[in-house]
């Protein structure tokens, strides 16, 4: 069942969404050469109680046994990287997936950032990040009531393909509200004009997961970390959005205080 939220419920989603965006930005600012992914996770755990009235909780920690407060995926890791002893190196690209709940509602958002600054990137990896981010922004701009969900999915795939990259097909975006994962699934590929029709009050997580190489992935022996099968770099950007009469509202507006300028992505 696809949930449609009331105006009061959407206000609750705005509150938790902004909290999770603030937490994501704070975690991204910890990314630097020499820090471990476990140290970033510890920072997130300490930051959560400072949000709102102190009752915000990680949506990752304990979810089907997941051991981290957030997911940190590096280079060829697509999603669900477990924080730990890995030391970040200059030139790594790091995807931080932050989700959490507050007063019974969830927000979910992801960014891929660069360790040491954009000058460390190859032209291909720069293209990967640009294409992934553009596919998300293009999809969000197309959201409005009456649009088929697959129209959004198709735009993501089209943008990525035109940029010479490939979308991961095994994992998707999703509805989000009173639960972290709700209907409908939101694939990053597909033919337009298919599937559910968007209605005002729906809240969904749009999250392109994009490989520089081929789309195939595999899961590591830890049972969580998903990597590109060919070892190519991968990027991941995500917003939680609400479908409103006038279009989409981004409920996790991490771009408002984004310390990572987009200017270098355009070069």
């Amino acid at each position: 069942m696809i949930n449609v939220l009331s105006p009061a419920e959407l206000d609750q989603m705005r509150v938790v969404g902004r909290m999770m965006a603030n937490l994501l930005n704070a975690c991204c600012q910890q990314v630097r050469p020499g820090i471990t992914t476990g140290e970033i996770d510890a920072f997130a755990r300490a930051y959560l109680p400072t949000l709102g009235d102190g009752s915000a909780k990680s949506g990752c920690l304990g979810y089907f046994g997941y051991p981290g407060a957030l997911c940190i995926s590096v280079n060829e890791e697509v999603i669900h990287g477990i924080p730990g002893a890995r030391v970040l190196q200059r030139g790594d690209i790091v995807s931080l997936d932050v989700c959490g709940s507050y007063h019974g509602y969830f927000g979910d958002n992801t960014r891929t950032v660069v360790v040491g600054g954009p000058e460390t990137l190859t032209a291909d990896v720069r293209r990967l990040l640009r294409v992934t981010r553009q596919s998300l922004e293009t999809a969000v701009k197309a959201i409005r009531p009456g649009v088929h969900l697959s129209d959004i999915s198709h735009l993501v795939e089209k943008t990525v393909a035109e940029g010479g990259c490939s979308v991961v097909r095994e994992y998707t975006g999703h509805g989000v509200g009173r639960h972290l994962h709700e209907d409908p699934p939101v694939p990053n590929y597909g033919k337009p004009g298919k599937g559910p029709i968007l209605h005002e009050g729906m809240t969904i997580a749009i999250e392109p997961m994009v490989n520089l190489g081929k789309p195939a992935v595999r899961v590591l022996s830890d049972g969580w970390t998903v990597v590109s099968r060919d070892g190519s770099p991968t990027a991941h950007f995500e917003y939680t959005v609400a479908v409103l009469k006038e279009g989409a509202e981004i409920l996790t507006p991490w771009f408002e205080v984004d310390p990572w300028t987009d200017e270098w992505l355009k070069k």
Side-chain angles (χ1 to χ4, degrees):
M1 182 180 70
I2 298 175
N3 294 318
V4 175
L5 303 187
S6 68
E9 289 175 313
L10 287 175
D11 283 341
Q12 293 290 332
M13 290 291 291
R14 291 182 178 100
V15 172
V16 67
R18 187 167 289 276
M19 283 183 177
M20 293 305 114
N22 288 340
L23 176 56
L24 176 57
N25 276 309
C27 289
C28 287
Q29 291 177 44
Q30 299 302 305
V31 172
R32 61 186 181 273
I35 195 170
T36 67
T37 56
E39 288 173 322
I40 298 173
D41 184 77
F43 171 84
R45 293 177 192 235
Y47 195 96
L48 272 164
T50 71
L51 297 169
D53 62 11
S55 64
K57 299 184 183 302
S58 166
C60 293
L61 186 61
Y63 188 74
F64 289 98
Y66 183 79
L70 72 165
C71 299
I72 307 179
S73 306
V74 184
N75 296 334
E76 77 284 356
E77 297 173 352
V78 182
I79 51 173
H80 304 162
I82 299 174
R86 182 166 185 167
V87 179
L88 296 183
Q89 306 292 330
R90 185 174 173 84
D92 286 341
I93 57 173
V94 184
S95 298
L96 297 104
D97 189 346
V98 168
C99 58
S101 64
Y102 186 71
H103 291 186
Y105 293 86
F106 283 82
D108 193 3
N109 57 172
T110 305
R111 288 168 55 196
T112 301
V113 296
V114 184
V115 182
E119 66 276 5
T120 67
L121 297 179
T122 66
D124 281 343
V125 174
R126 190 189 301 270
R127 172 169 54 87
L128 167 69
L129 296 180
R130 182 178 65 249
V131 165
T132 308
R133 178 71 181 272
Q134 285 177 343
S135 72
L136 173 61
E137 303 293 350
T138 299
V140 169
K141 289 177 182 177
I143 291 173
R144 63 184 184 277
V147 168
H148 282 274
L149 183 60
S150 69
D151 295 343
I152 307 305
S153 301
H154 177 73
L155 279 174
V156 173
E157 183 179 28
K158 181 175 183 289
T159 303
V160 170
E162 289 175 348
C165 299
S166 58
V167 296
V168 171
R169 302 174 76 90
E170 288 88 344
Y171 299 89
T172 72
H174 50 91
V176 56
R178 285 192 171 275
H179 300 90
L180 177 57
H181 293 109
E182 300 180 347
D183 287 333
V186 184
N188 293 308
Y189 63 93
K191 295 181 180 179
K194 306 289 184 181
I197 294 176
L198 299 182
H199 294 281
E200 186 175 358
M202 290 174 60
T203 48
I204 53 180
I206 310 291
E207 50 177 321
M209 291 156 271
V210 178
N211 292 346
L212 182 61
K214 296 181 179 180
V217 298
R218 62 186 179 92
V219 181
L220 297 185
S221 59
D222 61 21
W224 283 103
T225 308
V226 178
V227 300
S228 58
R229 187 173 291 275
D230 61 9
S232 63
T234 185
H236 182 195
F237 288 93
E238 175 186 20
Y239 294 139
T240 296
V241 304
V243 182
L244 302 182
K245 184 177 181 180
E246 61 273 19
E249 177 184 347
I250 298 172
L251 300 175
T252 51
W254 46 256
F255 57 84
E256 289 187 359
V257 288
D258 187 356
W260 299 83
T261 178
D262 287 337
E263 289 304 312
W264 59 269
L265 289 176
K266 301 174 184 175
K267 295 179 182 177

